[in-house]
Every structure is written in C-alpha cells, then in structure tokens.
Amino acid sequence: VEGFLGGVAVDEPRAALVGREVLSAGGNAFDAATAIFFALSVTLPSTAGLAGGGVCAVHPAGDGKTEFLQFLPYPSNQSGGVSRRPSAVPGNPRGFFLLHSKYGRLSWSQLLVPAENLARFGYRTSRAFATQLARVAPALKADPEARKIFLNDKGEPVEEGQKVKQVDYANVLARIRTRGVGDFYIGSYSAAIVRAVNQAGGTLSEEDLRLFKPQWVDPLQVEGPHNTLVLFPPPPNAAGAIAAQISAIAQKLNVRTLGEIDRYHLLAEASKRVFSYRQRWMQPDGSSSLDHEEILSEQTIQTLAKSINLKKAISAESLSPIPIASPETSSSATFAVIDREGSAVACGVTMNNLFGTGKVAPGLGLLLAAAPDNKGRGYRALSPVLVVHKFKRAVFLAMSASGGVTLPTTLTNIIARVAFGDDNLEKAMQAPRIHHGGDPDVVFVEQKMNREIIDALRQRGHTVSVSTTLGRANAIFCSLGMPPPKKRSPDCSFFSDFRGHGLALGES
C-alpha cells in the first residue's frame, strides 16, 4: 500500500507495530484491530488476555451502521462459592472473530501469525508489561504455571528487555488460527479448556463457553458541533453512560466558548452531578435500571445542568442522591485504529483485574480472567468513543481510555478540547486533566496543572488534591474527517498517552 495508510494507537508498542504492518499489507481497520488484540494477548496478557473480554466501537466506511460490539467477561454460571478465585467466561476469541468475520478483508490465519510467532519464539518484555509485572510479583510467584512464564532465572518477574516465551499459549493460538474459534467454545477442545481452567482453581463449564454470545448494540449519542455525533457504549459499560452525560452537559453549557478556568470548573461540576445521578440507574454489574434514552434525554441533561454556577461550586452532599464511591478496576488495555478508507475501530479489553485471578491454566499457558464482583473487579470501566459526522459518515475521532473511576473524565477532558473545542490532539492529550467522582468531594488535578488554575478552583469553593496522573488514553483525530473531502489530503494525528508506555503510528 502506498500513500496514507491510516494508523494505530496502542497500549503496548509491539502490538502497535503488528497493527501497522497489517495496514501496510492492505488490511483494513478491522483486520488491524484483530491482529492487535491477539498480539496484545501475548505481549500484555495482564490486561488483554485471551480469557478476558471487552467492547469495541465499530465504524465501517461507506453506508454501514456504526455500532458497538460487546463481548464482556461475564461470571461463570458456577462461580458462586465454588472457588476462592472464581474466573470469568472468555469473551475475546468470539468477540474478535465476529468483528473480523463481519468486516475483515485479510484471512483470519494471516492475522494470527504475528501473535503466534511472538509467543512461540519469544519477545523482549516491553516497559508497559514490565511495569505491570512488578506490581503483582507475589501473586505470580504463588502460582507454579505463572512462575514458568513470567519469572526470570532469578525467580523475579521478568524485567524490561528480558525475553519471554509462551510455547503452550502459542499452541492455543495455532489451533485458533487454523480452526477458528469454533472448537474453543464447543467440542472436545472446549472440554479440555474447561478441565485446565478448573484444575487451575478457576470456574468454567462447557455450557458457559457454548452459550457465550457477543452482542451488537446501538450507541449512546451526544450531539456535537458541526453536525457531529459523539458515540459511547451503553450499559453495562457504565463508564460510557457517565462520559456521555458529562459530555452532553458540557456541550449544552457551551464549553467551547469558555476559558481554561471556566472549562475545568464546568467539567468538575458536571462530573460531580453525573456521579450523583449514577446512583439512580447503575446496578452492581453496570447495567441500567432506566431506559438508555432516559439517561441522555433532554429533560435529564437540562435538570443536571441547570444548577451549575460557572463561578461557584456546590458541595456533593447537597446533591440528591449523595454520590457514593464505587470501586472500579483501572486495569484494561485499549487501542484505536483508522484506515485509509475511513473505517475506524476503538476497543477496550479487560481481565476484570490486573492479571485476572493470577492463575494460569496448565498445558495452555492461559491466564484466567477474574469473575466480576462488587469489590472493583469487572468491566464497567470500559468505554471506547467515536466522533462521526451525522450525515456524511466521516469519522473524526477514535479513542479509548483506561483508568477505572477516572476513565469517564479522561474521555471528557479530551472531548471538550478536540470534539467540542479547537485544540489539536497533541495539545488535548498533553493538557492537565481534572476529575471529580462525587465521593470524596474533592477535585483531583494532575501535578502539571497551572498553579493559577488550582488557586482559582479553590476560590470557587473546590477542595483540590494533586495527583501524579489521571487516566490514560489512545486516540486518533482527523480534523477533516476520514475519508477527507475531495481533493484534500488526510490530516490525522495519532497519540498514545505519555502517561503510559504505548505507541502510536501513522502517516498523515
């Protein structure tokens, strides 16, 4: 392929290289996304393992429908009380198989070869993976199968630059490459997977695998300027609904026209109210007790926005209901892809906990995803985003973020600047972020925030606390849209957040 290829932004550099090679070989965004995921399952299994699940925002070029594909790692039907560390039902294999089978161009086998080779012949540990390994060393040392893969000759977690091989896992990928995902979920191979998972202390049945089904769902839509739509996943990806409401309030109160201090104040006040409103609809699994239309109805947004004073903060305790903190895992992997034709994919995948249960299925090299619970393990904090033109179907922004409870505000900090404002993507990604989760009643700001802004927020009644970083995003922004207007060259920017250790590659 010559000329503009499109590009990728990924949490782990080697997987980003795989994605770009697929685009270079003539693959589309859906081919690249599939190859990226399977590469991540090798090089970043802590958050993107095969046994986890996720959600993708999917925009096919042309006249296709923009949708979200949910393949979340739900609990096993036998999770209750069976194991001290219950595991989830693997969703990623069927999810990405469905994505590729509907929209992919290159062969399935071709897309899995890079991941299989990385696992079989080894790869040098990236900083992204080494950083996560160091955080869970005791848990990995406790599992004999995990020790074989993730510890070095000294019995310590492998460090950046040290080589890792996963031969058993390469054999699993080889079977998926040659046979598809059919016998992973149904048949004698699925029975072998179930036995290995339960031998590792997990919880899985053949019925769990057989009945697992990804779902195509319609997005939550927020009207943006210039006939654009900002699209978020619906519950049970609860972070999407939260980010959608904050964005709708910001747009209603013309965030585009505000100065820097007023914009930060507005985002904090909107976020505070939305986390209060969350108490009305969010169930423990992230699903909603309200219709999705009601969450973003004109009346709901008007009610949330009308009490915002752009010069004065109100206390969270004065809101009804009073916001209550809810733990969220910050462990997920994200990536975004845009191709030369204007197709776009943004995905977030999770193991429901960093390194899932910390157990590896013997003979498979398969790290088990944790079953969701009410202690923070789960998939609620996943929310890829697309910004598309309402009529022309051009895509402007593809983005996905991680960060647990700060995920929605990470997205809205960037959306307010790029989709609703005039900042370029580099400026938006570099800008200090702000977060207010309602409980505690504190505005968190990044340490690089200007002291004058911090003082101004305090003068308006906010309690301010300084954090090192807030959230992490991968984003692609095309200011003219993709495909661009006739006789115009693509003007796209590709960024993997400096707050992480990923990589963005593209040609603009």
Side-chain angles (χ1 to χ4, degrees), residues 235-236 238-239 242 277-290 295 324 326 328 380:
I242 295 167
Y277 185 81
R278 180 182 68 169
Q279 302 299 116
R280 300 178 183 271
W281 62 267
M282 191 179 76
Q283 304 301 298
D285 66 351
S287 62
S288 176
S289 60
L290 303 177
I295 290 175
I324 299 175
S326 178
E328 302 277 7
R380 296 186 312 202

Side-chain angles (χ1 to χ4, degrees), residues 447-466:
Q447 61 184 11
K448 61 185 291 188
M449 182 75 77
N450 188 297
R451 175 57 58 180
E452 293 180 2
I453 295 176
I454 294 176
D455 291 342
L457 290 171
R458 285 174 172 150
Q459 289 170 6
R460 296 185 187 196
H462 294 286
T463 300
V464 180
S465 179
V466 178

Side-chain angles (χ1 to χ4, degrees), residues 157-173:
V158 292
E159 299 176 352
E160 182 181 354
Q162 294 181 335
K163 199 167 186 178
V164 175
K165 281 188 179 182
Q166 302 180 53
V167 177
D168 287 341
Y169 187 66
N171 294 334
V172 174
L173 291 176

Side-chain angles (χ1 to χ4, degrees), residues 5-249:
L5 299 176
V8 303
V10 190
D11 266 346
E12 198 278 330
R14 197 164 280 102
L17 292 169
V18 168
R20 189 178 185 280
E21 288 169 0
V22 169
L23 294 177
S24 299
N28 61 21
F30 313 108
D31 294 318
T34 302
I36 286 169
F37 164 70
F38 282 101
L40 281 172
S41 78
V42 178
T43 61
L44 201 66
S46 46
T47 52
L50 196 69
V55 58
C56 290
V58 179
H59 175 82
D63 298 328
K65 182 180 180 182
T66 303
E67 297 177 284
F68 281 78
L69 178 60
Q70 291 178 331
F71 42 99
L72 304 173
Y74 293 117
S76 163
N77 288 329
Q78 61 166 317
S79 288
V82 175
S83 170
R84 189 169 60 88
R85 293 185 179 178
S87 56
V89 181
N92 283 324
R94 260 190 181 158
F96 283 97
F97 187 83
L98 178 57
L99 176 68
H100 175 263
S101 64
K102 186 170 184 178
Y103 292 117
R105 177 182 298 153
L106 302 183
S107 72
W108 172 257
S109 177
Q110 183 178 350
L111 301 177
L112 268 74
V113 167
E116 183 184 340
N117 285 341
L118 286 167
R120 191 175 304 283
F121 301 113
Y123 59 91
R124 299 291 177 183
T125 304
S126 66
R127 184 171 301 174
F129 187 39
T131 301
Q132 295 182 349
L133 278 166
R135 291 170 54 188
V136 295
L140 296 177
K141 291 178 180 179
D143 183 66
E145 297 297 323
R147 289 200 299 267
K148 295 177 185 178
I149 303 171
F150 302 122
L151 300 189
N152 58 25
D153 294 340
K154 298 179 181 179
E156 297 297 326
V158 292
E159 299 176 352
E160 182 181 354
Q162 294 181 335
K163 199 167 186 178
V164 175
K165 281 188 179 182
Q166 302 180 53
V167 177
D168 287 341
Y169 187 66
N171 294 334
V172 174
L173 291 176
R175 184 146 183 160
I176 293 174
R177 175 177 59 80
T178 56
R179 303 192 183 190
V181 301
D183 69 348
F184 187 96
Y185 285 90
I186 299 174
S188 59
Y189 193 54
S190 71
I193 291 170
V194 167
R195 286 194 297 272
V197 168
N198 285 281
Q199 184 179 342
T203 46
L204 189 66
S205 69
E206 292 182 56
E207 182 183 40
D208 289 329
L209 288 173
R210 184 176 69 254
L211 296 179
F212 184 87
K213 185 179 179 181
Q215 293 185 322
W216 292 101
V217 296
D218 292 330
L220 300 176
Q221 301 185 3
V222 175
E223 296 266 354
H226 310 304
N227 291 317
T228 58
L229 293 174
V230 189
L231 307 177
F232 302 85
N237 293 122
I242 295 167
Q245 282 192 323
I246 297 171
S247 298
I249 295 169

Side-chain angles (χ1 to χ4, degrees), residues 45-47 85-86 331 350-359 367-371 377:
S46 46
T47 52
R85 293 185 179 178
S331 302
T350 183
M351 296 287 281
N352 287 338
N353 190 44
L354 188 61
F355 282 88
T357 68
K359 301 289 187 179
L367 189 64
L368 308 188
R377 299 181 181 91

